[in-house]
Amino acid sequence: MEPPVLAFTLWIFAFLSVPAAGYPNGKVREACSSMMPRHEHSPQPSPEHTISVNETKFRPGDHIKVNLSGPVFEGFFIQARNAENLAGPAVGSFMLAEERISQLLTCGLCRHATVVEKYKIFWVKIPGPVISQPNAPPLTTPTSITPETLPTSQPVFHLTKSFNASGCGSTKFCIRNPPKCDPGAAYCFFLSFKQNNHSVLIEMSGPSEGYIAFALSHDQWMGDDDAYLCINEDHRINVNTAYLSGRIPPVLDSENGLEDISWRVADGLVQCSFRRNLRLPAYKGRFNLDANYYIFLADGEASEGGLIHKHHRQPLITNGMYNVTDSPKDVGGSRSPLLLKLHASLMFVAWMTTVSIGVIVARFFKPVWPHSLFGKEIWFQVHRMLMLTTVLLTSIAFVLPFIYRGGWSEWAGFHPYLGCTVMALAIFQPLMAGFRPPPHAPRRQVFNWVHWSTGTTARILAVVTMFLGMDLPALNLPDPWDTYTMIGFVAWHVGIDILLEIHSYCLIRKVEVIDEDRIQILQSLTSAEAEGHTFKEIVLTIYICGNTAFLITFLAAIHQL
């Protein structure tokens, strides 16, 4: 038998700084048979590392120096095989050049070869140089590994220009946020589907330093979804698929069936495109594209090694289910569910407008509107109407998140706890008012203080609850705009309150007369305040206009979500 002709092939496995508890010594024998890193990513198309030797001829017992060169790597695995039988067992043995940075591993049968530079950057089956014994016959089989033995990987190309929206609604199905935005704009999230026979070209773009992703779902909840991710790692985009099994980080697929992958990172935008067949029965978790789905579009951060983190805001979700292979459409979506937007809107109306106006009317307008209407003073009727409206709006808004979530939310922090407290106080107030003592009863003063304290506590907690709710992922109004605007509203209300207090104090001072070292009140408090009713009505009108402006601003922001 002729002496075997030897070929060297290189494998490099790199591990992230995250714990690798299964392999504390770095010897991954489980990967010997497949030689496919279990990193849940596709291999790179063109190798950047090379293997060289100092001799191309050898005799039994000779030592041959093997060199590995190329970009910086974190680990390496070198093995020699029979060049005429690459699927056979490893031959020969190695001696370590530096025991402090390398070690030996016995794999037995090894069928594949891989080079890994980083966790998500690796190449499969890179052939090394062929060395032979003197007078060995020519090699009868090619030294390169045939495509049939390679794990499938698609070449990746760089996009030369940004996507455009031409054809949206006419030749391709598009999702844009904000609606009608230009995919090249720094604020635009864009997703398009264009069918071509039995495949679909998909383009995705959005402002992100980490990743952008979309998912096909049978409902509007995360879980049991077919997801596609474009992850930015060191200005290199990796396109992956994953099956979302619940509200947990996705496990990326090692093989995804995507073709014609292209990407671009520029001007703060991550853009990627790829093609996939309408049906991929060989790939578990890939949905058929010729069916109806809710479509999610999300973005978030990614750390070193391509590890993705939870999106910091609610994904954009289409308002209905769509079949992207049907007639082309140009649609939008919402980052906040309709029920939660109604919840926020009703709470803003109740605790920014109706309750605030009702409190000012009760505090300052008793002498201004003393006349009777349906058996009660006008000020009291206005106050009671506004407060009952507040309780009604709060009650309706209170149940909406429970309907949406189907129960209690564990992800909303202190917001639901404070909201329940506000709801309880809002109900307690009118119940307590129904049992108020007569105006001159001994307990009336106690009632007045308890009623005022309960209402003031409810209003303060309501404002705090709104501050917390504005930044929850399900709503997430623009930050820090929402905080500054809410601070502006609080300052506006407090300012008007102080102005009216000063006005009332000045009226009282006008009717004080100094007589023999004592103060004699010539007019009652009620009649004194009544003298300035015109001023108060003007201030109330201005306050209502300003209050309405703040309310419309918030409602418009909620509508844009």
Side-chain angles (χ1 to χ4, degrees), residues 326-378:
D326 275 350
S327 57
K329 295 180 176 63
D330 189 2
V331 303
S334 175
R335 293 190 180 274
S336 181
L338 178 61
L339 288 178
L340 295 187
K341 289 199 290 187
L342 288 175
H343 165 79
S345 299
L346 293 176
M347 287 300 190
F348 276 120
V349 173
W351 294 96
M352 286 186 63
T353 304
T354 58
V355 76
S356 301
I357 298 174
V359 167
I360 287 181
V361 168
R363 176 70 182 88
F364 300 104
F365 283 78
K366 292 178 182 179
V368 179
W369 297 333
H371 304 292
S372 179
L373 178 66
F374 301 115
K376 291 290 184 179
E377 295 89 341
I378 294 177

Side-chain angles (χ1 to χ4, degrees), residues 150-221:
L150 275 171
T152 58
S153 62
Q154 295 295 331
V156 179
F157 303 97
H158 291 274
L159 295 169
T160 58
K161 59 181 180 179
S162 177
F163 299 140
N164 61 73
S166 62
C168 285
S170 58
T171 61
K172 59 185 180 182
F173 185 99
C174 296
I175 301 171
R176 291 191 272 178
N177 181 250
K180 308 298 182 182
C181 66
D182 180 4
Y187 58 87
C188 183
F189 287 89
F190 174 80
L191 178 64
S192 72
F193 302 83
K194 185 175 183 179
Q195 184 178 2
N196 183 13
N197 296 326
H198 299 292
S199 67
V200 176
L201 176 65
I202 301 172
E203 298 175 333
M204 181 165 48
S205 173
S208 177
E209 295 295 330
Y211 70 91
I212 55 175
F214 81 90
L216 306 175
S217 179
H218 298 289
D219 52 38
Q220 292 182 300
W221 292 94

Side-chain angles (χ1 to χ4, degrees), residues 412-416 418 461-473:
F414 290 105
H415 179 78
L418 293 176
L461 290 180
V463 171
V464 174
T465 306
M466 288 190 291
F467 266 108
L468 296 177
M470 291 187 302
D471 290 327
L472 288 177

Side-chain angles (χ1 to χ4, degrees), residues 312-329:
H312 55 80
R313 59 175 172 172
Q314 191 85 351
L316 179 76
I317 306 176
T318 55
N319 296 321
M321 301 182 74
Y322 294 99
N323 184 339
V324 298
T325 62
D326 275 350
S327 57
K329 295 180 176 63

Side-chain angles (χ1 to χ4, degrees), residues 514-529:
I514 306 300
D515 183 18
E516 297 179 353
D517 298 324
R518 65 186 179 90
I519 299 177
Q520 178 183 8
I521 304 300
L522 300 181
Q523 291 176 287
S524 68
L525 178 64
T526 300
S527 60
E529 288 192 345

Side-chain angles (χ1 to χ4, degrees), residues 41 73 139 177 187 194 214 218 236 251 280 342 502 542:
H41 296 282
F73 53 88
L139 189 65
N177 181 250
Y187 58 87
K194 185 175 183 179
F214 81 90
H218 298 289
R236 182 198 298 263
V251 177
L280 292 172
L342 288 175
I502 294 175
I542 295 174

